């Protein structure tokens, strides 16, 4: 696929990519890059569950009317951003646990993945922002056939790249087997 597909459908962002802090942006840019590659318009901004809670509520409440259909939310440590967004909107929320210095993102992962029954957050791997972008695209693919086609193409090219990087034949290592033990005698014979 061309590095960047033409933007898909509406001119407004379909995916909101939110980080809890400026320091989360290098990871979340990978979700934006994936969406851009698939031609899906997105917006990237900072909303902190703890430092700017009113902004979080306002974003979640206005997002559907602004045409946002999926939210990717990354946060680190006591990562409450994805869960609080999920509590305030019916839009699907994809949580990205941001790696941390002290606990290497395990804190972020557990904070995001252990949602209570009734308020789900789809959680990707620690630092797995590319997959968050892909998952957002897969959610949108149900409604936008052009996104479905681009995802199919992405998968096909990915498979081709992997197969092209492998040796064609399985590698055979010749080695001398030890002599076989004689078969044990059957009883009664
Ligand atoms: C969280 O605290 C953010 O998502 C970020 O990952 C973490 C640390 O934030 P900074 O102290 O780097 O701004 O809310």
């Amino acid at each position: 696929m061309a590095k960047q597909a033409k933007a898909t459908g509406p001119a407004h962002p379909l995916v909101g990519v939110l980080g809890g802090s400026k320091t989360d942006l290098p990871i979340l840019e990978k979700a934006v890059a994936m969406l851009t590659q698939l031609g899906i318009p997105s917006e990237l901004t900072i909303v902190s569950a703890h430092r700017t809670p009113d902004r979080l509520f306002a974003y979640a409440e206005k997002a559907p009317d602004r045409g946002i259909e999926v939210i990717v939310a990354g946060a680190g440590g006591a990562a409450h951003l994805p869960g609080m967004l999920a509590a305030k909107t019916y839009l699907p929320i994809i949580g990205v646990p941001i790696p941390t210095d002290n606990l290497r993102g395990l804190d972020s992962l557990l904070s995001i993945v252990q949602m209570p029954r009734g308020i789900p957050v789809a959680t990707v791997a620690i630092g797995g922002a590319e997959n968050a972008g892909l998952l957002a695209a897969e959610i949108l693919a149900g409604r936008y056939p052009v996104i479905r086609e681009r995802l199919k193409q992405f998968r096909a090219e990915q498979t081709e790249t992997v197969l092209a990087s492998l040796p064609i034949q399985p590698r055979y290592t010749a080695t001398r087997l030890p002599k076989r033990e004689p078969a044990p005698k059957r009883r009664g014979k």
Side-chain angles (χ1 to χ4, degrees):
M1 189 189 305
K3 204 76 202 119
Q4 185 177 330
K6 254 176 95 189
T8 298
H12 60 75
L14 289 176
V15 182
V17 181
L18 310 186
S21 165
K22 251 203 308 205
T23 55
D24 299 335
L25 295 191
I27 297 278
L28 294 172
E29 294 280 9
K30 295 180 196 170
V32 175
M34 181 56 75
L35 291 163
T36 307
Q37 186 181 333
L38 294 166
I40 300 170
S42 67
E43 66 181 12
L44 175 66
T45 187
I46 295 165
V47 176
S48 167
H50 303 117
R51 295 166 178 159
T52 63
D54 295 342
R55 179 171 159 77
L56 185 161
F57 279 29
Y59 189 95
E61 273 160 11
K62 289 180 193 149
D65 289 344
R66 293 179 48 238
I68 299 282
E69 296 187 28
V70 185
I71 296 179
V72 171
H80 294 134
L81 176 63
M84 285 310 295
L85 285 164
K88 287 296 285 182
T89 176
Y90 60 80
L91 293 180
I93 309 291
I94 303 170
V96 182
I98 301 289
T100 53
D101 288 341
N102 293 329
L103 297 171
R104 303 176 65 190
L106 191 58
D107 42 356
S108 324
L109 173 67
L110 297 179
S111 301
I112 294 174
V113 81
Q114 291 290 5
M115 287 298 290
R117 183 161 41 89
I119 309 288
V121 167
T123 309
V124 296
I126 297 170
E130 291 100 337
N131 270 1
L134 278 172
L135 189 52
E138 287 170 11
I139 292 168
L140 293 167
R143 197 169 151 208
Y144 298 92
V146 63
I147 298 181
R148 201 152 59 232
E149 287 313 307
R150 283 175 187 162
L151 278 169
K152 278 188 199 163
Q153 203 183 334
F154 173 85
R155 288 279 179 101
E157 284 176 14
Q158 179 169 253
T159 301
E160 219 172 275
T161 309
V162 170
L163 290 177
S165 72
L166 298 175
I168 304 289
Q169 299 296 337
R171 200 175 68 189
Y172 171 67
T173 311
T175 182
R176 207 178 271 256
L177 289 172
K179 241 183 158 181
R180 274 194 178 175
E181 299 272 313
K185 283 197 180 144
R186 289 223 195 118
R187 261 196 288 173
K189 285 205 170 176

